Amino acid sequence: MKTAVFVEPGKVETQDLPKPEIKQPTDAILKIVRACVCGSDLWWYRGISDRPKNTPVGHEAIGIVEEVGSEVTDVKPGDFVIAPFTHGCGHCAACLAGFDGDCLNPSDDEVVGYQGEYLRFKNANWALVKVPGQPSDYTDDQLNDLLTLADVMATGYHAASSAEVKKDDTVVVMGDGAVGLCGVIAAKLRGAKRIIAMSRHEDRQKLAKAFGATDIVAERGGDAVKAVMSLTDGAGADAVLECVGTEQSVDTAVKVARPGAVVGRVGVPQKADMNTNNLFWKNIGLRGGIASVTTDDRNILLDAVLKGEIHPGKVFTKQFDLNHIADAYAAMDKREAIKSLLIVSQ
Amino acid sequence: MKTAVFVEPGKVETQDLPKPEIKQPTDAILKIVRACVCGSDLWWYRGISDRPKNTPVGHEAIGIVEEVGSEVTDVKPGDFVIAPFTHGCGHCAACLAGFDGDCLNPSDDEVVGYQGEYLRFKNANWALVKVPGQPSDYTDDQLNDLLTLADVMATGYHAASSAEVKKDDTVVVMGDGAVGLCGVIAAKLRGAKRIIAMSRHEDRQKLAKAFGATDIVAERGGDAVKAVMSLTDGAGADAVLECVGTEQSVDTAVKVARPGAVVGRVGVPQKADMNTNNLFWKNIGLRGGIASVTTDDRNILLDAVLKGEIHPGKVFTKQFDLNHIADAYAAMDKREAIKSLLIVSQ
């Protein structure tokens, strides 16, 4: 079967590899319908983070269950599912509390290769999210919306829920990548009245506005702080979504928060150490981490997509097939695409 | 009038100073009934933090309104009030959001000298908390309970509310000082099912249990983490109250939290920099800071005291009068008292 493989920094190619097989009784084999490239894939693509060479890649997909292990009862062959990048067991204290991204029963048995024709998915019983009907029941746009629930929309939502965005809040969203843009959608979905998107790229500003941003701040650093303070009468934002992870972005996020606000962060921290006194003396909270994909999909996001209330699939601004995987990565690397879609089968 | 004055590290004495007068139209003059010594007073008493010499001290009291400025309408002479250490204006974004400890309208006009016969209190209109009736309507124990609402009980509650303690939670409380003990009360008040108090002093363990602690962990550091993990089947606590502020205590607080839990901290951070990656990868939140005294007193704490549901006044294990202020400080410095009460007038 065809699967995208990381060869070396700057080089991803489609190779013909053996179709995966059930290894654990809790596994499922999925036939992938659509997959996509994540901003975090660019780290190893660009050689910023290490990744073993010649490994299958991708961690976001939707597909059809082809086969299930003996202990899988929640999904059956033929079911249309979202394949989250997380694999919560569904019964540990973390999963039960809604933090399936930090499942307490991880296994060394890593799942790789969502950007391919077939995928072995572990903890299929709980972690897969069933979608009603079949892919053919949905339009292309709807399939794209569903695909975002495997990671990017759930991650944007995690920023908003970690920041405890509530009705009528004024929210600042740091970052105009696909996650930040989904953060705008999430803030609106949770009832924010005013959404200030920090963005300096015209195409992304436009999408942020389409998603519900009421204000755009193009400045960075101290100027960005001034701009937000001016927009909020000197008070700062009720909630801040940090969807970048750089030291400057985290610093700005804290500075634009009003006392008592929470910075919800999903941008992987570039720097571990941080001056937390700045949080303490303003009662600013810091929450966030790996998204609660399965939990949030089941409780709110799938419903919002099925009802057509949100359209996160618009973050896919270019589409490719597996034969053009190199182009899909290059388009994101060169910022020609906000997020690259892969049509695998239909 | 008699007022406690910081002379130099290790020396607090009662001096005869002029009675304070109204300076702002939003001021009130209070006749103090009871005051107390705070653990944080020990910092300058011990010379750990700087404080100008020959300055009146204390920031917790209950008293009677003697005189009000022209703009004060919420309280009138004769009213019995709690005098919080915070002085929220009541109308800025921080106060309105319930974070009056971080009021956005601070003034340079510092209020000092709660440990004295009279006190000038600023922002009296909103920041003072009215108590029904007169001091003579209450027992000594009830007056002590009310006094804790000026700081220590509200601060313990702030740790619990910052940690988002909810019904049936398993909660860890770091610190067995008066604040930590009040944190135990707060966790129980918010419905915690299991409260693990980290304490290695027998008298404090006993009080923690009386306040609702279900388990005591006397170990520190790695052994404390092991003990909590063993008590929680390896999951960690649903909420952690950090009432110490040392690097070790904050580190332990993060390590005993289950994924998704929040560490609510009120211990003034000893060290600014902290590795926040440990938070991110387990979705552990960090909240807290200066207590929302007025807000929480009005919304929940005063009611709980008046109904006799909580008895935080038990943290006063020794009592003194202004003529023995030096003994009141020494008792806390030598850990002979959990918290020293000052009977000023009755």
Side-chain angles (χ1 to χ4, degrees), chain B:
Chain B
M1 66 152 191
K2 286 183 195 168
T3 295
V5 172
F6 168 66
V7 180
E8 59 185 25
K11 189 171 181 185
V12 175
E13 67 181 22
T14 295
Q15 296 182 0
D16 195 22
L17 293 184
K19 190 178 157 184
E21 292 174 0
I22 297 279
K23 281 165 68 178
Q24 305 290 337
T26 48
D27 285 349
I29 303 297
L30 309 182
K31 183 176 193 300
I32 301 303
V33 173
R34 293 184 176 205
C36 50
V37 182
C38 182
S40 69
D41 290 329
L42 295 179
W43 301 339
W44 47 259
Y45 180 82
R46 290 171 174 167
I48 297 166
S49 66
D50 285 334
R51 183 187 181 95
K53 290 180 178 179
N54 299 309
T55 46
V57 288
H59 57 261
E60 302 164 86
I62 52 174
I64 303 290
V65 177
E66 179 154 296
E67 189 187 349
V68 296
S70 59
E71 290 177 16
V72 176
T73 52
D74 289 355
V75 294
K76 58 180 191 310
D79 282 350
F80 180 27
V81 293
I82 297 157
F85 77 93
T86 52
H87 294 85
C89 71
H91 52 76
C92 70
C95 285
L96 291 173
F99 292 88
D100 48 272
D102 290 296
C103 175
L104 295 172
N105 294 312
S107 69
D108 298 334
D109 177 29
E110 207 196 343
V111 168
V112 289
Y114 288 50
Q115 293 163 2
E117 289 182 302
Y118 292 90
L119 173 71
R120 183 178 69 82
F121 190 92
K122 70 178 182 182
N123 281 344
N125 230 354
W126 190 80
L128 284 174
V129 179
K130 229 164 116 170
V131 180
Q134 290 293 309
S136 56
D137 300 328
Y138 295 92
T139 64
D140 277 343
D141 286 347
Q142 285 175 314
L143 291 176
N144 293 350
D145 289 342
L146 289 166
L147 173 59
T148 66
L149 302 192
D151 177 350
V152 64
M153 181 62 224
T155 296
Y157 189 82
H158 192 63
S161 62
S162 297
E164 305 184 4
V165 174
K166 60 185 189 312
K167 196 169 176 305
D168 294 336
D169 270 358
T170 291
V171 177
V172 165
V173 180
M174 304 294 305
D176 62 1
V179 173
L181 292 166
C182 287
V184 171
I185 295 176
K188 192 174 177 190
L189 187 62
R190 292 176 65 95
K193 192 180 201 167
R194 190 170 191 186
I195 301 171
I196 303 167
M198 308 294 247
S199 169
R200 52 181 188 179
H201 302 95
E202 207 180 329
D203 56 334
R204 293 158 192 246
Q205 292 175 352
K206 209 172 150 185
L207 202 47
K209 284 194 170 178
F211 284 163
T214 53
D215 303 82
I216 301 288
V217 168
E219 291 86 352
R220 288 200 180 177
D223 289 340
V225 176
K226 271 186 213 159
V228 172
M229 286 303 164
S230 160
L231 287 169
T232 57
D233 294 327
D238 302 312
V240 184
L241 280 54
E242 202 297 298
C243 306
V244 182
T246 61
E247 193 178 359
Q248 185 187 49
S249 177
V250 174
D251 180 66
T252 302
V254 173
K255 287 179 177 156
V256 299
R258 73 139 165 76
V262 179
V263 174
R265 57 177 185 160
V266 294
V268 174
Q270 190 189 46
K271 195 186 166 201
D273 276 1
M274 159 171 185
N275 183 332
T276 65
N277 279 8
N278 300 336
L279 302 171
F280 186 87
W281 295 109
K282 279 176 73 188
N283 261 294
I284 291 168
L286 184 70
R287 295 193 76 172
I290 307 162
S292 303
V293 186
T294 306
T295 300
D296 290 336
D297 280 3
R298 289 225 181 90
N299 290 339
I300 183 158
L301 297 177
L302 178 57
D303 190 54
V305 161
L306 293 177
K307 286 183 177 160
E309 289 170 356
I310 61 174
H311 299 288
K314 288 184 195 291
V315 296
F316 299 114
T317 53
K318 281 191 184 284
Q319 71 176 61
F320 304 88
D321 61 25
L322 278 177
N323 295 327
H324 296 85
I325 190 74
D327 299 334
Y329 275 79
M332 282 185 66
D333 182 42
K334 293 175 187 160
R335 286 187 164 271
E336 291 166 3
I338 293 179
K339 194 169 173 78
S340 292
L341 172 70
L342 290 172
I343 309 283
V344 181
S345 66
Q346 196 111 10

Side-chain angles (χ1 to χ4, degrees), chain A residues 197-277:
Chain A
M198 309 293 247
S199 169
R200 52 180 188 180
H201 302 94
E202 207 181 329
D203 56 333
R204 292 155 193 248
Q205 290 175 354
K206 209 172 150 187
L207 203 46
K209 284 196 170 176
F211 284 163
T214 53
D215 302 84
I216 301 287
V217 167
E219 291 85 353
R220 290 200 180 176
D223 290 338
V225 176
K226 272 186 212 157
V228 172
M229 286 303 165
S230 161
L231 287 169
T232 57
D233 294 327
D238 301 312
V240 184
L241 280 54
E242 202 296 299
C243 307
V244 182
T246 61
E247 193 177 1
Q248 185 188 49
S249 177
V250 174
D251 181 66
T252 301
V254 173
K255 287 179 177 156
V256 298
R258 73 140 165 74
V262 179
V263 174
R265 59 177 182 158
V266 293
V268 174
Q270 190 188 45
K271 195 184 166 203
D273 275 1
M274 159 172 185
N275 183 332
T276 65
N277 279 8

